[in-house]
Amino acid sequence: MSSRLPAQGVPAASDPVRRLSRRRLLRHTMAGAGALLAAGPLSGCASPASASGASALSVWDLFQGGDGMLMDEMIEAVSKGAAGAEGFEVDRTILDWGPSYYTKLAMSAAGGRASDVAAMHLSRLAGYAPGGLVDAFDLDLLAEFGVTRKDFTPAVWSRTQHEGTVYAIPLDVHPFIVFYDKEAADTAGLLDSSGELAPMGSPEALLDAGKALAEATGESGILFGHVTDTAQNWRLFAGLYAQTGAEFTLPDGGPPQIDTDAAVRVVTLMKQLFDGRTNPNNLDYNGALAAFTGGRGGMAMLGEWELPTLKQSGIPLGAAPFPQVFDKPAVYTDSHSFVLPHQEDPDPARRREAHRYVAEILKQSLTWASAGHIPAYQPVLAEPEYAALDPQSSYADAAKVAVLDPPNWFVGAGSNFQNRMCQPLQSALLGNTSAEKAVRQMVREADALLRQPNPVA
């Protein structure tokens, strides 16, 4: 997820590719290609050359907008040789996120045209590692460059593996959290003695919080944009469902193993919370975002990636992990991670450089945190500079209770699975169906997807 997702979370129709290394930029400049230098989207991808004359390390990612500029900054730092380390030359390719990105990534790995390193949502790993589309990391080699499994929370590290082998290294954790207007929350009596959002502990407390915030603002209490969105309802449902302690398992071939009683409890709460009175039930994503930044609501349920936009609004902004209201703490999340796309005969020296590159980028995660993402590399969280980030540091604990999508080939960020789960949930929130019927439809949709053959099995 980039800092600004396409509207409604739907991948853009176009899929532009931007690719330029500093070596090629200099070559074109010396040839008098002034027009190339004037092309902002291209020049933003340039990376400084390393001191060595080795060929550039090929990197694919999906970071655009604010995230893209931050990644440029991080690549520039490691390319120059941050903290005395040897530099790199990086040939970076940026593609739009969504199904098109993952299709291109799979095709490049299957066709022998893979990059040295690529970004991947951790929730998509189950669709790539079993089919041999990504190669395993050498943990001893990573340790040589200062990165070990102990540097990551168990909740996130556990999802980097397939059959006990590590195929992904997390860059961040980007959770679905709550943002709130500190003044409204204070008036509503929702803050603790330190000025942070107090624990809730029950569905009733969350419902009461919405009413108190509505009274404090004179308008809406809690804002949530979901209409026609392909992921929002699933994010809210999945986090709350995980808090019940129930399992949501999608075994190959089916049937889905879903606790329907727990699911109905969750959807019932969602319907009660977004009743169309205290809290609107019919907002789309951008409508909810605009209402919150315009002061027409006391709290918004959003991904942390909206932090840069919200900070520009000027409201007294607070943030917190999604409140625990059921039996156990859990926060729905995903993770931008690095993978090694499959290569038939990888050059050992380039693979070593790929490992070193991943390790050095992780050490630049304080820069990445400025956009709201929680660094997955835990040593960064211990730095005083991170503790000073407001409100980022206030929701960092979400990484400890992170819950990702079920590990299955058709599941994950930008997937049809999320979209198909969202549709019955949207119908329930709009009052067009009951919680029971919505859950039954979700089970049917999951079962239909499980009956489809895995194309990379």
Side-chain angles (χ1 to χ4, degrees):
M1 297 174 191
S2 62
S3 181
R4 286 298 301 134
L5 294 173
Q8 306 303 330
V10 179
S14 60
D15 190 15
V17 178
R18 297 184 285 153
R19 185 175 185 132
L20 193 66
S21 71
R22 183 175 176 86
R23 176 181 296 164
R24 282 155 46 210
L25 175 62
L26 291 174
R27 184 168 67 241
H28 283 287
T29 303
M30 294 177 69
L36 181 61
L37 287 175
L42 287 172
S43 61
C45 300
S47 301
S50 66
S52 71
S55 61
L57 198 67
S58 173
V59 176
W60 280 22
D61 67 50
L62 33 63
F63 304 124
Q64 302 187 41
D67 280 357
M69 289 186 285
L70 290 176
M71 184 54 65
D72 279 340
E73 186 177 336
M74 294 160 70
I75 291 175
E76 181 177 5
V78 302
S79 296
K80 289 179 177 178
E86 182 184 354
F88 298 89
E89 181 176 350
V90 179
D91 189 2
R92 181 181 177 207
T93 299
I94 307 173
L95 301 100
D96 280 349
W97 94 281
S100 60
Y101 176 82
Y102 287 107
T103 299
K104 291 178 185 296
L105 188 59
M107 291 177 66
S108 70
R113 302 182 304 277
S115 59
D116 294 304
V117 179
M120 174 180 285
H121 288 86
L122 199 54
S123 63
R124 298 298 294 253
L125 185 64
Y128 289 75
L133 294 175
V134 291
D135 293 337
F137 276 90
D138 183 332
L139 297 188
D140 291 336
L141 193 52
L142 273 177
E144 183 180 333
F145 301 127
V147 174
T148 72
R149 69 182 67 206
K150 295 180 181 178
D151 295 324
F152 304 89
T153 65
V156 176
W157 185 257
S158 64
R159 292 298 300 271
T160 65
Q161 302 163 56
H162 170 63
E163 296 183 345
T165 299
V166 173
Y167 288 91
I169 302 299
L171 169 64
D172 65 30
V173 177
H174 48 269
F176 185 73
I177 63 173
V178 293
F179 291 99
Y180 57 93
D181 182 316
K182 286 186 174 182
E183 293 179 358
D186 187 29
T187 301
L190 300 178
L191 303 184
D192 61 19
S193 58
S194 63
E196 301 291 333
L197 190 68
M200 294 189 183
S202 70
E204 293 74 22
L206 181 60
L207 295 171
D208 288 343
K211 296 173 184 176
L213 287 168
E215 185 175 343
T217 63
E219 297 201 42
S220 296
I222 301 174
L223 301 167
F224 174 62
H226 71 99
V227 176
T228 72
D229 193 275
T230 59
Q232 278 287 90
N233 275 317
W234 169 250
R235 292 170 182 142
L236 179 56
F237 171 86
L240 288 169
Y241 181 88
Q243 289 187 6
T244 69
E247 297 290 332
F248 195 109
T249 308
L250 302 175
D252 288 340
Q257 298 174 8
I258 301 170
D259 186 328
T260 55
D261 290 340
V264 169
R265 286 177 64 198
V266 169
V267 180
T268 299
L269 173 60
M270 292 170 63
K271 286 171 63 69
Q272 292 172 335
L273 183 62
F274 298 105
D275 56 3
R277 297 183 297 276
T278 302
N279 310 310
N281 68 341
N282 61 350
L283 296 177
D284 65 13
Y285 190 93
N286 290 333
L289 194 62
F292 184 63
T293 56
R296 301 191 299 276
M299 180 181 288
M301 295 177 172
L302 294 163
E304 52 71 27
W305 52 89
E306 294 297 350
L307 178 62
T309 298
L310 298 182
K311 293 188 79 168
Q312 292 175 5
S313 69
I315 63 176
L317 187 66
F322 198 93
Q324 178 188 346
V325 298
F326 287 119
D327 302 328
K328 56 182 288 189
V331 177
Y332 177 80
T333 190
D334 208 333
S335 166
H336 293 121
S337 301
F338 292 114
V339 295
L340 304 173
H342 175 66
Q343 296 178 2
E344 285 296 334
D345 188 22
D347 177 76
R350 291 183 71 85
R351 268 292 156 90
R352 179 179 178 84
E353 283 295 272
H355 282 70
R356 187 170 74 88
Y357 171 81
V358 169
E360 293 303 320
I361 286 288
L362 292 182
K363 296 170 187 176
Q364 298 295 315
S365 295
L366 188 62
T367 297
W368 197 238
S370 65
H373 311 309
I374 304 172
Y377 185 62
Q378 295 293 288
V380 171
L381 299 185
E383 296 179 10
E385 293 86 351
Y386 183 80
L389 290 177
D390 181 30
Q392 289 93 316
S393 58
S394 64
Y395 56 81
D397 283 349
K400 298 177 182 178
V401 291
V403 175
L404 282 75
D405 283 1
N408 195 284
W409 69 267
F410 56 77
V411 174
S415 67
N416 188 36
F417 168 80
Q418 291 188 351
N419 185 32
R420 289 172 72 162
M421 294 296 103
C422 281
Q423 291 174 13
L425 290 169
Q426 173 181 293
S427 183
L429 262 61
L430 292 175
N432 297 328
T433 193
S434 67
E436 292 79 6
K437 288 182 178 179
V439 169
R440 287 199 295 270
Q441 182 63 29
M442 292 172 71
V443 173
R444 285 194 294 269
E445 295 287 350
D447 189 57
L449 287 167
L450 284 167
R451 294 177 186 275
Q452 296 179 3
N454 184 343
V456 297

